[in-house]
Amino acid sequence: MNNPNTNTSLAPVEKLELTQNWDKVFPESDKVDHSKVVFVNRYGVTLAADMYKPKGATGKLPAIAVSGPFGAVKEQSSGLYAQQLAERGFLTIAFDPSFTGESGGTPRRVASPDINVEDFSAAVDYLMNREDVDSGKVGILGICGWGGIAIQAAINDPRIKATVASTMYDMTRVNACGYFDSENTAGQRNAKRAAMAAQRTIDFRNGSYMRAGGVVDPLPEDAPQFVKDYYAYYKTPRGYHVRSGNSTDGWNATSNLPFINFKFFGYADELESAVLIVHGDKAHSYYFGKDTFARLKGDNKQMLTVKGASHCDLYDRLDIIPMDEIAAFYVENLNK
């Protein structure tokens, strides 16, 4: 009888249903070639990605893996960034995180600080083993919540030579401490833990997970401006996508639980590779970028503040996103 514990092979690639039609919220570029790819992470989840490659490119290219925002899919902001960077000479992939979008894994719409950091490293595994990628020139880019996840991945994975975090969140801080650290007490954290623990009991009894809901809809008149900005992206034709949790019914309600008990950036001062944090000074999330940047050490760390930009402006406003500066950062640091 075979002992399954002796099996050291990678998990098999799950057969995924991948949409072949162009279903992005942004127009297709005639300057790049687009294709679908899949790869498996260390936890056995098959990840789906859109690959963008400069048209007519030959030889080994520098490569960048992109993901985010948190609760979005690759057909939204991350795909736009990936396509734009491919126009500037990089081979890029925009991937759906584990349990979301076209990627595999069950249950659906569950998040994990550990598994999501692993998703970035799995993307690096894939890129470094492509014949058309220069394995010494691989970077990552994370948007919104995935900006913080990208920096955490870079701390743990020295193969990542350059990291960009755009309009970033620290998902561990916002879950444990609330927006603007307004819920930063043991009592408030324990109340959140108790509510989600009670929901676990109910979910198990029901045999299904309750969803937390995506961006609020209908939008209350007294909603904070940043919630209105989220609505303007996720709930309108500008950014709506049927597979996006933020556009539809959100994460499983208990997904935030591990983020409360997990802290990113504990060893941020040990990160040796290059980092660029891009943030708008009108973003409600600006404090995440500034505070994270303050924890980084070395002359290869940069903070680029986009004057007048809100959080969601850096999702898709190509007139505002400093894409040329981002590309220049990668050129400089991937070639070192």
Side-chain angles (χ1 to χ4, degrees):
M1 182 176 179
N2 291 330
N3 180 355
N5 291 297
T6 64
N7 184 358
T8 60
S9 62
L10 297 180
V13 174
E14 180 184 352
K15 184 174 177 55
L16 303 176
E17 293 187 12
L18 302 178
T19 303
Q20 298 304 320
N21 296 331
W22 185 265
D23 64 343
K24 326 301 182 199
V25 301
F26 52 90
E28 186 172 8
S29 171
D30 60 4
K31 299 177 182 177
V32 306
D33 291 320
H34 164 261
S35 59
K36 297 273 191 172
V37 300
V38 295
F39 51 93
V40 179
N41 73 10
R42 197 166 54 89
Y43 293 102
V45 178
T46 300
L47 302 181
D50 286 303
M51 186 170 72
Y52 300 90
K53 187 174 180 179
K55 216 172 258 301
T58 59
K60 292 182 178 293
L61 300 175
I64 302 166
V66 187
S67 199
F70 197 80
V73 288
K74 63 187 183 306
E75 290 75 20
Q76 296 173 309
S77 183
S78 62
L80 176 65
Y81 272 74
Q83 182 172 260
Q84 286 287 315
L85 289 169
E87 288 186 353
R88 290 161 172 80
F90 302 90
L91 183 150
T92 63
I93 58 172
F95 66 88
D96 284 329
S98 294
F99 313 111
T100 69
E102 291 187 311
S103 287
T106 54
R108 305 304 293 165
R109 302 262 184 84
V110 64
S112 161
D114 185 25
I115 295 175
N116 292 151
V117 166
E118 159 62 20
D119 287 342
F120 260 129
S121 286
V124 174
D125 294 340
Y126 171 75
L127 290 172
M128 293 187 73
N129 282 282
R130 285 186 61 92
E131 291 185 356
D132 54 359
V133 167
D134 185 335
S135 62
K137 299 179 180 179
V138 176
I140 62 174
L141 188 152
I143 306 159
C144 185
W146 277 80
I149 291 169
I151 294 175
Q152 184 66 25
I155 294 168
N156 196 52
D157 192 339
R159 300 173 302 169
I160 300 167
K161 289 196 66 176
T163 300
V164 173
S166 182
T167 197
M168 68 162 284
Y169 265 52
D170 175 351
M171 294 304 299
T172 61
R173 180 177 176 182
V174 74
N175 277 289
C177 305
Y179 280 105
F180 316 111
D181 299 331
S182 61
E183 300 170 357
N184 191 17
T185 69
Q188 289 167 311
R189 277 186 286 276
N190 279 330
K192 294 177 187 178
R193 293 178 180 121
M196 282 185 275
Q199 186 61 49
R200 289 184 63 142
T201 305
I202 296 169
D203 289 346
F204 187 89
R205 181 186 308 130
N206 292 339
S208 62
Y209 290 93
M210 186 183 81
R211 291 279 166 79
V215 173
V216 61
D217 188 10
L219 184 68
E221 290 186 7
D222 61 349
Q225 183 58 48
F226 73 89
V227 175
K228 294 178 180 179
D229 291 344
Y230 282 136
Y231 184 95
Y233 181 77
Y234 287 108
K235 292 291 188 174
T236 72
R238 171 186 168 194
Y240 176 89
H241 199 279
V242 67
R243 289 192 294 273
S244 166
N246 291 344
S247 291
T248 56
D249 58 355
W251 295 97
N252 290 346
T254 55
S255 279
N256 289 343
L257 190 56
F259 288 90
I260 295 176
N261 286 350
F262 193 106
K263 284 189 177 181
F264 285 160
F265 317 136
Y267 297 102
D269 59 334
E270 298 178 6
L271 176 55
E272 296 178 340
S273 61
V275 175
L276 172 64
I277 296 177
V278 181
H279 229 121
D281 65 350
K282 300 303 182 183
H284 69 283
S285 53
Y286 190 29
Y287 71 103
F288 290 126
K290 290 188 293 183
D291 290 357
T292 303
F293 180 72
R295 303 182 71 163
L296 303 174
K297 306 298 180 184
D299 58 9
N300 59 353
K301 311 300 190 295
Q302 302 174 42
M303 177 95 188
L304 174 57
T305 296
V306 183
K307 298 295 184 181
S310 70
H311 181 84
C312 291
D313 284 341
L314 298 185
Y315 280 10
D316 66 341
R317 291 282 304 277
L318 293 179
D319 58 327
I320 291 177
I321 300 170
M323 204 66 73
D324 289 336
E325 289 88 341
I326 291 171
F329 166 80
Y330 282 122
V331 169
E332 177 184 357
N333 291 286
L334 293 181
N335 284 308
K336 287 183 177 179

